[in-house]
Amino acid sequence: MRVRVARDDVLLVEVADLAAATALHRSLSSAPVPGVGQPVPGARTVLVPFDPRVLPATTLAAELRARAEVPPSGTEQPGRLVEVPTVYDGADLDGVAAHHGWSVAEVVRRHTGARWTVGFVGFAPGFGYLVGDDPGLVVPRRASPRTRVPAGAVALAGPYSGVYPRESPGGWQIVGRTAVVTWDERRDPPALWVPGDRVRFVAVRESVRGVSAPFGTSGSVRQSGLPNGAGSAERGALEVLDPGVQTLVQDLGRPGRADLGVATSGAADPRSLRAANRAVGNPVDAAALETLGGLRLRAHGPVVVAVTGAPTPLSTVPDGGGPARPHRLGQAFALADGDELSIGTPTRGLRSYLALRGGLDVPAVLGSRATDVLAGLGPDPVRAGTLLPAGPPPSAAVALTTTGAPDPATLPAPGDVATLPLVLGPRDDWFTPEALRLLTEQEWEVTARSNRVGLRLAGAAPLDRRSAVAHAELPSEGCVTGALQVPPDGQPVLFLSDHPLTGGYPVVAAVPTADLWVAGQMPPGARLRFRVT
């Protein structure tokens, strides 16, 4: 076994196999170590977050080594059987057959004939990594992941099979589709399966009842939790007149849900969200709006708001008309009933945060009001007509000065170069010395394909793997926010708030926790340089 560094506050324990990883995860869950967060199991690893102020990394590493040396008990009972009716017409089915030199019928025969077991849950809520007993049914991941894989896609990667719970990016080979819903937050439990459950795929025709849903329709059920329509609210409210660009409800996320395959998510720039809440006297974790600009709101009743983050024009038009009143970024201000607030397009950075005194009173999902766009959890993106009521007024007063917000003048604009520190690992040994040199010596452009899942970066030269692992498949393992994951094309992706919980491409390094907010403010066209700390 080996303990690797995954970030300044996360270790990755590498063990012999899935049984050893499951045993270590069970040990950490049943007998927690003080200062350690919820671990994330993988195929042969356990990702272990910790608080360096409570527990030094060296002390934790020694404890993890001791626990990993305890062999699995071997007394675990097999789980229940789940059948998955599948239409085998996936976009990669012919390619999988050609890779093995088989017919398509042989791929289907072997996939349905294999006995599958849920090894662990990750990537997205309800996504089970299914381990089969057919050693020949192994296929490589795609060289470059798709940006959109439909819900219900049945796919293969390495020795695993899986079912995508909802539309999301993905690098697995799609062989079929199913109408089985693997994640429904209204169910108890919301996930269709848990580690240890057995799975059998059953080949069916399109006309079979329950499998006739159009491919690509949502495979999970979401409830927005956002009331719609104009009207008054007892404590005041904000009505959305124009939702602008990617305006979402966010708070500080939902940590501690890795057992369901749920990542923390939350604000891409938590510093700015905390600062906006402080400005209006809210607790720092109150729900607020995160927007890329172009947002227009109308006050229902008197309310107090503040906007932080990316600098953007702020102005209010009084009810009944009149000249627009400008407002300062980071400073709380009052809106009277009927006033219309406009938040323009940022001149630097990317995301602005609007806090409403009392917080946004929308229903929580799994303990948080954050919108996770990859997992499909939390409120839907706001739309015209959405009414956002305020919660109970906080006991704290409105702040006179802004504290904790980044200086807007320091945020990058398109074309600017920003520098981020990196902690190497856990898979830097997969890359050539030349690739590690290029990582820090060349600039990386933030492309337009970036989103809350991650910054897709483009460099003049790709990061090449060492020849010994040039075509190797990395068993899926836990990933952190700030991880710099490198697909086979050598162009890295810097994971942001809505990244998958686990992944199968090697992570060369990670941005330390204290600097993640900078990544959340990188606009397309800006450039990044990295320095190893």
Side-chain angles (χ1 to χ4, degrees), residues 66-110:
R67 294 194 183 207
E69 290 172 358
V70 178
S73 66
T75 60
E76 292 75 20
Q77 297 298 313
R80 62 193 179 91
L81 176 64
V82 180
E83 289 194 345
V84 180
T86 303
V87 178
Y88 285 92
D89 60 356
D92 300 317
L93 184 58
D94 289 338
V96 170
H99 174 78
H100 286 289
W102 300 339
S103 66
V104 166
E106 178 66 5
V107 175
V108 175
R109 185 189 72 78
R110 297 182 75 145

Side-chain angles (χ1 to χ4, degrees), residues 4 51 102 107 122 175 201 210 244 256 300 321 329 367 403 419 449 453 492 501 513:
R4 297 171 177 265
D51 186 343
W102 300 339
V107 175
V175 296
F201 290 94
H300 285 252
L329 193 74
T403 59
T419 300
R449 297 171 65 205
V453 174
L501 194 65
T513 308

